[in-house]
Amino acid sequence: MIAAIWRKHWMELWKRLVFFTAAELLAGIASSVELTAFHGHGPRQAHALLLAFLLGFLAMFSAIAIVVFPGQLGGTGLNTTRGLHTQTGPDPSLLFTLSLPIRRRVLFLYRSAFGLLAIEAAVAVALGIDCLLLAHSGVPWHMLVPALWVLPALAPFYFLDSFLLMWFSEGTIVVIQALVVALLIVALALLYRVYFHAGKMAGIALGHFAPLLGVLAACLLSTAFAATTVWCLDRRNY
Amino acid sequence: MHSEPAVISAEGLRKRLGSIDAVAGLDLAVPQGSICGFLGRNGAGKTTTIKMLMGMTRPDGGEGRIFGEPIDHEVASVRIRQKTGFVAEVKEFYPFFTVQQMIDFTRAFYPQWRNDWERRCLREYELPLERKAGKLSKGMGSKLALLLAFSRGAELLILDEPTDGLDPIAIEAFLQHVVALAGEGQTIFFSSHQLQEVEQVCDRVCLIDRGKAVLETDLDEAKTRFRKVSITFPDAVPERLFEGTGVGRLKVRGRSASLLVNGDVEAVAARARQAGATEVDFAPVSLKEIFLETVGGEQ
Amino acid sequence: MLFRIHPDSGTPIYVQLMEQVMHAIETGALRPGEQLPAIRALAEDTVTNPNTVAKAYRELEHEGVIELRQGLGAYVRAGVSSAREAEAMKQAHRAMGAAVAVMRKLRLSEASMRRVFEAELTRDQEVREAVSLRR
């Protein structure tokens, strides 16, 4: 049974994952080319460029995630209200899926676990290649550590979507998520500016301290979103 | 008539969709081993009822049980679905799976999977194993849905318009399969607009209108109880005399009138004679006439 | 034997099945002691509900036309006469039904109907006795 579900998810998602990885790669390559062109202009410029690289990567990632996540979670029976009460919901095979002897929350957990793992893998591959490219052109690799933020940052986004999908249509979620991403980018930029002007601590803070905090926050956030989703799934009036 | 325990039972089942009461206090009892036809007009609440039975949507009120387990309890509903074959109103499957992959996928959920039924359906429905489920025609989709329902080794089949899009030969095969499965002891509950197929294989019917069961009975009993009474009067038909006596409307043609009566035919006849009727005739009726008068009578 | 079912007629299917079994016995298509098709087989053959076939068999047994042997199937009763009698009783009921309908049209009370029936029975008896006396 579990094997069958994994197989279904793989068949369903691999095309989207290929598209996702390719897009991330393109984004990464574009920003790394930019970054290497300005390398050697002093630490100030390098930091600014790294910020540009990260923000560019994050923006690109967000744009794709906004489109990919809701689509990925569509078949789990999260947003069944519309799907069940109209002839053609977002996923017409939903009625078949829900007729199987399996709980909604189990469907959701398998689906999100698979989807998240697959996306993390895709981003990791894209990031890895980008880092190799940058390292090859002489940028010190520890400067790229902040880029790893992106990996844990994916999870809260993912489960925020799963939660939102129970209440809103995919179109609405795209708008909500775009707003969240915009806010996040502004916050990051501000944070970076504050740290940067605060002194030489900036590099250390971004390179070592912040990621740990970020990972912790991401884990907490995604667990909270996932748990809320499961809780609501069991109690919702479909 | 049926002494067998009810496999499906519902009392006062309700579901509100937006501003309409899709199901408004439905009572239902489907006895073990019966083939029960679930009839009603479009939008009468058939599909919503079926979705509630399958645990896909939650009732707003009332109680429903299948195999004695509550339908609105998440864990109990999984146990119900383990023993229930299902055909949805929308016969769509995972478009990226072939028919064969779709069968393999479904089989993985049912340890009691019936290979014999899988083979029988494959043979008689002539399903293309290598075709992608997303490229099946409407009829083929219905056939795959039936295969996946029949092969589950279920004790109960809940089928929502299973013959939708099927050609006459496939419909005949479907009816044979239903009869054979009932012979094995399975209970079958299916909604349909094809009154003739219901009349052929069902021993029970449930007529639903505006979210309520308006008639729930053994089909044989309905055919015995319902009579079309034709009455001829010497003068004008005293229409008010028959208010409240029949099912649906009194049809008047000149000095003759006809009325569908459920049960006490003699009382109607006596009343007619008292009013001076010259001729009173009774005729048996088909399910279609019962349906039209019961469900379409108030317009 | 071949069964022909008309689902959309007003006659319940089990009654159609019963009538056809009785007809088969009368025409000799089914002989006393012969086995009827198994319920499931007949149901699949005629594409009718197995419960309906079972009901027809139960009613036929009740009327003394067939015999249901546990686990062995249904057999036509040895005394076919009982089958004939059953059919005769049915025809008699029909004839009486028609007669009652006619009397109702004549607006006779139930008491008068009974008197008419008794009188007819007595008259018939007297005629028969007269005939035998003449011989």
Side-chain angles (χ1 to χ4, degrees):
Chain A
M1 188 180 96
I2 295 167
I5 294 176
W6 285 108
R7 185 171 176 213
K8 181 207 161 198
H9 290 335
W10 172 246
M11 297 275 288
E12 199 165 10
L13 298 180
W14 73 267
K15 276 184 196 156
R16 285 184 218 182
L17 283 175
V18 168
F19 167 76
F20 185 78
T21 316
E24 286 292 297
L25 262 178
L26 280 180
I29 290 167
S31 32
S32 62
V33 166
E34 193 188 9
L35 198 57
T36 36
F38 287 94
H39 181 63
H41 288 258
R44 225 180 152 75
Q45 284 88 344
H47 269 285
L49 284 168
L50 185 62
L51 178 70
F53 167 70
L54 283 177
L55 292 186
F57 194 87
L58 192 66
M60 193 63 196
F61 155 76
S62 307
I64 296 160
I66 286 166
V67 180
V68 171
F69 287 4
Q72 261 213 12
L73 289 159
T76 51
L78 286 174
N79 51 353
T80 45
T81 314
R82 285 168 310 124
L84 281 173
H85 300 154
T86 55
Q87 278 261 342
T88 46
D91 183 356
S93 60
L94 188 63
L95 289 180
F96 171 78
T97 308
L98 291 179
S99 81
L100 297 169
I102 185 166
R103 287 182 75 168
R104 263 173 219 260
R105 58 152 83 170
V106 181
L107 271 178
F108 162 68
L109 288 175
Y110 276 134
R111 174 66 166 222
S112 50
F114 181 86
L116 192 58
L117 274 178
I119 285 187
E120 295 279 12
V123 174
V125 166
L127 258 183
I129 294 176
D130 284 344
C131 288
L132 279 178
L133 275 177
L134 279 179
H136 185 70
S137 31
V139 180
W141 74 269
H142 64 86
M143 285 188 69
L144 294 166
V145 169
L148 291 175
W149 284 12
V150 175
L151 288 179
L154 285 168
F157 269 110
Y158 199 78
F159 288 108
L160 174 68
D161 269 14
S162 74
F163 178 71
L164 291 175
L165 259 169
M166 285 198 294
W167 317 99
F168 301 107
S169 71
E170 282 167 45
T172 317
I173 291 168
V174 166
V175 175
I176 294 176
Q177 213 187 40
L179 281 173
V180 172
V181 166
L183 274 176
L184 203 73
I185 289 175
V186 170
L188 268 177
L190 283 176
L191 199 72
Y192 193 85
R193 258 192 98 74
V194 170
Y195 268 119
F196 190 68
H197 286 292
K200 305 270 180 190
M201 287 297 286
I204 304 158
L206 277 172
H208 305 284
F209 178 62
L212 271 177
L213 218 129
V215 169
L216 201 70
C219 284
L220 277 174
L221 264 177
S222 30
T223 315
F225 285 139
T228 320
T229 307
V230 168
W231 191 84
C232 291
L233 260 181
D234 274 4
R235 279 155 193 81
R236 238 190 119 197
N237 186 19
Y238 299 104
Chain B
M1 296 283 299
H2 278 278
S3 53
E4 288 84 359
V7 169
I8 304 177
S9 63
E11 260 174 54
L13 216 53
R14 292 180 174 279
K15 181 72 188 179
R16 207 174 163 79
L17 298 183
S19 60
I20 51 159
D21 288 310
V23 177
L26 180 85
D27 296 331
L28 187 68
V30 179
Q32 157 89 51
S34 67
I35 305 180
C36 180
F38 192 37
L39 311 172
R41 308 180 59 183
N42 291 327
K46 298 190 297 291
T47 296
T48 307
T49 304
I50 285 176
K51 282 172 182 164
M52 283 194 277
L53 294 178
M54 290 298 291
M56 294 169 174
T57 179
R58 222 161 258 180
D60 290 331
E63 201 194 32
R65 285 179 178 273
I66 296 182
F67 308 122
E69 305 235 38
I71 56 171
D72 54 352
H73 187 274
E74 284 280 328
V75 182
S77 181
V78 171
R79 284 197 293 269
I80 293 170
R81 292 201 294 268
Q82 189 73 56
K83 297 189 278 182
T84 305
F86 178 68
V87 167
E89 177 194 30
V90 184
K91 283 104 185 148
E92 297 247 10
F93 300 95
Y94 309 137
F96 43 85
F97 269 178
T98 63
V99 169
Q100 179 70 63
Q101 285 169 328
M102 216 41 238
I103 294 172
D104 294 341
F105 175 79
T106 313
R107 186 198 285 121
F109 289 85
Y110 301 91
Q112 74 276 27
W113 186 262
R114 294 282 301 269
N115 287 317
D116 53 341
W117 273 101
E118 181 195 321
R119 278 194 300 274
R120 181 169 176 181
C121 291
L122 276 179
R123 191 175 61 240
E124 290 175 27
Y125 293 142
E126 297 172 332
L127 278 163
L129 277 176
E130 296 310 318
R131 189 163 321 160
K132 284 267 199 294
K135 295 211 158 83
L136 293 176
S137 66
K138 194 177 178 193
M140 281 293 178
S142 292
K143 290 172 180 178
L144 177 58
L146 287 172
L147 180 149
L148 296 178
F150 290 162
S151 307
R152 288 184 194 187
E155 290 171 31
L156 167 69
L157 291 170
I158 295 181
L159 316 173
D160 198 354
E161 289 176 33
T163 55
D164 198 20
L166 291 186
D167 61 68
I169 292 173
I171 289 180
E172 193 61 19
F174 160 76
L175 292 175
Q176 273 168 1
H177 294 168
V178 163
V179 165
L181 287 162
E184 288 181 4
Q186 298 196 21
T187 308
I188 295 143
F189 180 70
F190 78 103
S191 78
S192 178
H193 288 303
Q194 305 305 314
L195 295 175
Q196 236 199 316
E197 65 194 35
V198 169
E199 214 164 14
Q200 188 172 347
V201 297
C202 291
D203 55 345
R204 260 188 100 73
V205 284
C206 175
L207 244 76
I208 172 177
D209 194 36
R210 278 161 243 205
K212 276 200 178 99
V214 287
L215 178 73
E216 206 205 340
T217 174
D218 277 7
L219 188 55
D220 288 337
E221 201 185 308
K223 284 197 172 177
T224 318
R225 286 178 61 86
F226 279 87
R227 285 287 178 268
K228 188 171 215 160
V229 183
S230 310
I231 310 156
T232 309
F233 287 92
D235 305 307
V237 176
E239 291 188 36
R240 293 187 58 186
L241 185 70
F242 297 101
E243 269 170 23
T245 53
V247 178
R249 270 189 318 179
L250 181 78
K251 289 195 184 64
V252 182
R253 293 262 187 290
R255 288 185 292 111
S256 301
S258 70
L259 183 66
L260 188 72
V261 176
N262 176 7
D264 206 356
V265 181
E266 281 304 329
V268 177
R271 200 186 283 199
R273 282 195 199 93
Q274 248 165 21
T278 50
E279 207 169 313
V280 182
D281 260 345
F282 310 121
V285 289
S286 68
L287 181 61
K288 185 176 166 187
E289 285 166 289
I290 297 175
F291 181 88
L292 289 178
E293 286 297 330
T294 313
V295 174
E298 285 163 39
Q299 288 169 351
Chain C
M1 65 175 293
L2 284 173
F3 289 90
R4 224 170 247 282
I5 302 299
H6 301 284
D8 54 344
S9 96
T11 316
I13 292 175
Y14 82 97
V15 176
Q16 295 183 32
L17 284 169
M18 283 173 67
E19 281 171 356
Q20 290 182 29
V21 169
M22 301 227 240
H23 183 73
I25 292 171
E26 266 174 23
T27 57
L30 270 175
R31 296 208 184 90
E34 257 183 353
Q35 190 177 6
L36 276 95
I39 290 174
R40 275 173 68 175
L42 182 56
E44 284 189 44
D45 246 28
T46 51
V47 195
T48 44
N49 194 307
N51 296 329
T52 307
V53 178
K55 188 173 175 184
Y57 278 16
R58 274 201 311 276
E59 292 289 316
L60 282 169
E61 188 188 34
H62 187 70
E63 293 200 2
V65 181
I66 65 168
E67 191 182 351
L68 294 176
R69 295 180 202 158
Q70 207 69 54
L72 290 171
Y75 294 83
V76 179
R77 272 256 162 116
V80 201
S81 59
S82 61
R84 290 251 165 82
E85 198 178 314
E87 180 57 22
M89 283 301 283
K90 249 183 120 174
Q91 280 182 14
H93 272 292
R94 261 186 234 133
M96 281 310 293
V100 168
V102 169
M103 289 190 276
R104 280 234 186 264
K105 257 186 220 169
L106 297 168
R107 309 224 187 121
L108 290 187
S109 70
E110 270 178 34
S112 331
M113 287 188 203
R114 281 204 188 89
R115 274 203 301 281
V116 169
F117 180 74
E118 295 289 331
E120 268 306 304
L121 214 59
T122 326
R123 196 181 60 84
D124 180 69
Q125 227 169 348
E126 279 165 3
V127 170
R128 278 170 189 278
E129 274 165 19
V131 169
S132 59
L133 270 181
R134 229 175 274 159
R135 276 179 191 163

